[in-house]
Amino acid sequence: MPDNREGRDKQAHDEENRQRMRAILEELERGDETEPPVEERDLDVLEEELETVEFPATGLEVVEAVGYHEVETPEGSYDVAELVPSTEEETFDSPAAVRMRVQRPTVAAAMKRVVEATGTLDDAGVWGSQREAYERTFRELKAIDAVDDDEGIGVMADWIVERIEEKGKLPGSRDVRRQAAKYCRQNGYEVRNDEWLGV
């Protein structure tokens, strides 16, 4: 490349593109982190303890093997048994899958309640896109600063469990998002139409 103004401009432009791409990749690696991170050493120790478990493993097998293990966050400590559903229906492919679940304890605890409540249904289980939608709704509630102490996550978990018990089926993911948006608005947080909760 010639050392002239055009060459220098191209080099600067290419460097800006590389920096932008690095920032995008870093953001993708972090995913939708909305909770303070669980200590890495806690997660490493958990994975070591899970070496005694044969995978794929059910939630029940994971809880029986390492349910006592504590993970620490700036918001408090949790036993794995508080975060992983004690059911045969919930399965994990690897220790890394368990690690992924417990690194968002507030969301994991809410999903545990929902998954365990589905045990009363004929067609038990929260799978696929519906599960992803529930989890994303909980993560969005976690990210809202105006809603203190993750109260919204507990309220929504209660609402879902009540619907399961009253109607004998899982509420649709749109209904869950709509209810979460209603809760946010009632508590002074504006939900825009272009946001996940803005259904």
Side-chain angles (χ1 to χ4, degrees):
M1 182 175 306
D3 187 18
N4 57 25
R5 181 178 177 165
E6 188 177 318
R8 289 188 298 272
D9 287 348
K10 180 169 178 7
Q11 285 179 331
H13 181 70
D14 289 346
E15 180 57 29
E16 285 175 20
N17 283 340
R18 283 191 293 275
Q19 287 178 352
R20 199 170 319 135
M21 191 54 115
R22 277 194 298 271
I24 289 170
L25 290 173
E26 286 172 11
E27 184 66 30
L28 287 173
E29 284 177 15
R30 283 194 302 271
D32 295 326
E33 290 179 16
T34 54
E35 291 196 62
V38 171
E39 293 288 332
E40 280 296 316
R41 71 180 152 70
D42 285 350
L43 295 172
D44 292 341
V45 171
L46 173 61
E47 276 200 70
E48 288 173 19
E49 290 180 11
L50 285 167
E51 289 176 5
T52 62
V53 178
E54 188 175 326
F55 286 89
T58 66
L60 185 59
E61 291 169 330
V62 169
V63 169
E64 287 174 352
V66 296
Y68 59 86
H69 182 84
E70 262 188 13
V71 291
E72 296 286 335
T73 73
E75 297 174 341
S77 62
Y78 299 84
D79 290 339
V80 170
E82 296 175 274
L83 308 175
V84 174
S86 297
T87 68
E88 296 281 338
E89 288 76 30
E90 183 86 338
T91 58
F92 296 90
D93 294 335
S94 66
V98 178
R99 178 187 185 118
M100 290 284 293
R101 178 67 51 81
V102 302
Q103 67 187 3
R104 286 191 178 118
T106 310
V107 172
M111 283 305 299
K112 170 187 167 68
R113 290 190 55 217
V114 171
V115 169
E116 288 179 350
T118 64
T120 62
L121 303 178
D122 292 334
D123 185 21
V126 186
W127 316 120
S129 62
Q130 188 171 28
R131 180 193 190 101
E132 290 169 17
Y134 283 15
E135 285 191 30
R136 181 157 182 200
T137 300
F138 289 139
R139 287 194 312 266
E140 293 293 324
L141 287 168
K142 177 70 178 170
I144 294 171
D145 293 334
V147 182
D148 295 333
D149 300 326
D150 301 325
E151 184 180 305
I153 294 173
V155 167
M156 283 310 302
D158 289 344
W159 186 84
I160 294 168
V161 170
E162 286 169 14
R163 290 301 166 282
I164 292 169
E165 291 170 354
E166 289 172 8
K167 301 191 177 205
K169 65 178 186 173
L170 286 165
S173 57
R174 252 181 124 65
D175 292 334
V176 172
R177 289 164 58 192
R178 196 173 287 117
Q179 186 67 23
K182 180 179 171 185
Y183 172 83
C184 289
R185 290 178 180 123
Q186 288 173 344
N187 286 278
Y189 183 77
E190 185 58 38
V191 177
R192 296 189 327 257
N193 289 337
D194 63 341
E195 294 177 323
W196 174 256
L197 300 178
V199 214

